[in-house]
């Protein structure tokens, strides 16, 4: 997901360390407690269970998103609902 906002400070655990992320118009608030690299606006992160867990370079993220969209397009409709 692409980071649209970052709140908090990576050195200050008393702040709310969160980011707002977006993928295809779906926005989520995620925690940054365990991410491998503190993100900036425009960066991409892999999100699991409400936590950003890994940062990606843009080319890698766009390739992964393309592959996921291709996989979803080939998925039988009954498995998507």
């Amino acid at each position: 997901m692409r980071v649209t906002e970052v709140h908090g400070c990576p050195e200050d655990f008393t702040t709310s360390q969160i980011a707002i992320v977006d993928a295809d118009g779906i926005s989520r608030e995620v925690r940054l407690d365990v991410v491998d690299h503190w993100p900036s606006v425009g960066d991409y992160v892999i999100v699991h269970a409400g936590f950003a867990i890994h940062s990606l370079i843009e080319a890698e993220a766009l390739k992964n998103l393309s592959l996921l969209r291709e996989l979803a397009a080939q998925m039988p409709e009954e498995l998507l609902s």
Side-chain angles (χ1 to χ4, degrees):
M1 299 185 87
R2 188 165 195 214
V3 177
T4 59
E5 296 178 37
V6 178
H7 302 279
C9 174
E11 292 86 28
D12 185 358
F13 292 107
T14 64
T15 64
S16 293
Q17 297 178 318
I18 61 168
I20 307 300
V21 295
D22 179 88
D24 294 332
I26 298 171
S27 293
R28 295 284 185 259
E29 182 178 288
V30 298
R31 298 203 40 103
L32 299 173
D33 304 76
V34 298
V35 70
D36 62 338
H37 171 77
W38 189 264
S40 298
V41 171
D43 288 350
Y44 287 84
V45 292
I46 294 176
V47 176
H48 177 69
F51 288 85
I53 59 171
H54 182 69
S55 57
L56 300 165
I57 62 170
E58 185 175 18
E60 183 181 17
L62 295 176
K63 179 67 175 172
N64 285 333
L65 288 169
S66 174
L67 290 170
L68 286 170
R69 288 181 184 116
E70 183 180 328
L71 180 64
Q74 296 177 20
M75 189 74 62
E77 187 64 35
E78 61 271 7
L79 295 178
L80 295 174
S81 56

